[in-house]
Amino acid sequence: MTDLAEIPSRTGLLTSVGRIARFTKVMYKPHYLLYGILWVLALEGTAALLTQPGVAWHPTGATAARIGIVAIVLLYLRMVDEQKDLEYDRVHNPDRPLVTGAVSALELRSAMGVIAAVSIAGSLALSVRSAVAIAAVLVYGLILWALEQLSETVRTDIMLNLVVTYPVQLLVTAYVVLSAIDTGEAAAHGRVAVVAIVFAGAFLQFEFARKTSRSVRPGEMYYSNALGAPGSAGASVLCALAAAVGEIAVAKPWEWHGTAAVLGWIPVALMLIPAIGAWRFVRSRDDEYPVLPAVLFILTLYLTLIAQAAVATRG
């Protein structure tokens, strides 16, 4: 017989689960999931290409596990951002779920606890080092939250904030690569460190593009406030260039043949996308920097890296 006292608690739990589900629907769009999937595949494939060029690469069950873990950890980080940016969002994004009360901080923190447990346990099934690496990502997210609470400079200086916050992306990159080495999809080799440059450049070109405006935005976290519109746009293009040149330099497509050689040189052609975006911004009177070219660059680059790994590693 069910204790009547348990009914309200079960109802409350279901209500909280529903609120978290709605938060996820609003704040974790399908294209975020697509990005996470492509990120893991491109990372693992590139690591395999650079360290095991004579071995065919293809996704495995371990790859699928890493995709799932990265996907939920990105949601965890989104939940951290929702809480650490609460005061900023009250002014600039008043429709966010935590601001409106559509979800509570306690509910987000409970969900974060569940995600942390699942991601660490899932990573432990891959390797001990995988579990340690993903735990480092989770902890760094909390450290960022604490730093922004303790330091107004970290919270309001966008360039310092970038320096402090970007390492969480590097930690996710390290997680995928180290885990892939442990499960045999890649090998331990010094060249694998270059993937950090390639993927940092790809992400940062998008990061600068999405926060660049021709007009000054007082109180808003825009890189153009600190660098000026030309400086911020230039930073985006330079980051894309670093990603393309870095990948070409280590992959050495001039040593490939046939389809692999064609795929190997595509990153150079992809540089046209952010270059056209910058040219359009300079020539137009649009206030906002065009984000679509930045999105297109990062997605097409990741797809190219996946294709390269699938083709060029066939001995």
Side-chain angles (χ1 to χ4, degrees), residues 1-286:
M1 181 175 174
T2 302
D3 188 338
L4 293 178
E6 294 179 2
I7 296 177
S9 62
R10 291 180 181 178
T11 302
L13 177 61
L14 291 175
T15 299
S16 292
V17 170
R19 284 157 65 93
I20 289 295
R22 287 191 291 275
F23 168 87
T24 302
K25 182 179 179 180
V26 171
M27 300 303 298
Y28 194 66
K29 303 293 187 182
H31 57 270
Y32 295 163
L33 178 59
L34 174 62
Y35 171 78
I37 293 170
L38 294 180
W39 187 14
V40 174
L41 291 174
L43 262 173
E44 183 180 301
T46 303
L49 177 65
L50 297 182
T51 63
Q52 301 183 139
V55 179
W57 172 81
H58 57 83
T60 65
T63 308
R66 278 187 285 274
I67 288 172
I69 290 164
V70 168
I72 62 172
V73 167
L74 291 178
L75 176 58
Y76 171 99
L77 295 173
R78 177 63 261 169
M79 291 174 172
V80 170
D81 285 345
E82 186 76 1
Q83 294 171 84
K84 74 181 181 66
D85 297 340
L86 179 58
E87 295 306 317
Y88 179 87
D89 288 340
R90 280 178 173 152
V91 177
H92 300 288
N93 300 298
D95 60 339
R96 291 285 177 86
L98 188 58
V99 177
T100 64
V103 70
S104 71
L106 178 60
E107 288 167 334
L108 290 177
R109 292 168 193 176
S110 298
M112 287 167 58
V114 173
I115 290 172
V118 171
S119 60
I120 291 173
S123 295
L124 188 59
L126 298 175
S127 71
V128 172
R129 188 159 61 167
S130 297
V132 172
I134 205 64
V137 176
L138 301 170
V139 171
Y140 196 79
L142 298 179
I143 291 173
L144 291 179
W145 186 0
L147 283 174
E148 291 198 15
Q149 294 298 310
L150 294 172
S151 172
E152 183 179 356
T153 304
V154 172
R155 192 167 60 249
T156 59
D157 185 327
I158 190 167
M159 299 308 298
L160 177 59
N161 188 268
L162 179 63
V163 170
V164 171
T165 59
Y166 182 71
V168 75
Q169 295 271 338
L170 292 178
L171 288 173
V172 175
T173 294
Y175 163 71
V176 173
V177 172
L178 292 174
S179 181
I181 291 172
D182 287 349
T183 56
E185 285 77 21
H189 193 289
R191 283 181 298 179
V192 78
V194 180
V195 301
I197 297 174
V198 175
F199 286 84
F203 174 80
L204 288 174
Q205 68 86 33
F206 167 73
E207 175 69 5
F208 279 105
R210 77 187 184 94
K211 294 183 179 179
T212 294
S213 172
R214 196 180 303 279
S215 61
V216 177
R217 300 293 187 87
E220 296 190 59
M221 295 290 276
Y222 269 65
Y223 296 105
S224 50
N225 285 350
L227 303 176
S232 189
S236 179
V237 174
L238 286 175
C239 287
L241 181 63
V245 171
E247 200 278 332
I248 292 290
V250 293
K252 300 179 180 179
W254 53 86
E255 297 180 356
W256 303 350
H257 303 283
T259 302
V262 174
L263 289 170
W265 288 104
I266 286 179
V268 174
L270 293 181
M271 273 303 304
L272 287 172
I273 299 174
I276 289 172
W279 179 82
R280 173 187 165 187
F281 180 67
V282 170
R283 294 292 299 269
S284 75
R285 294 183 179 179
D286 294 343

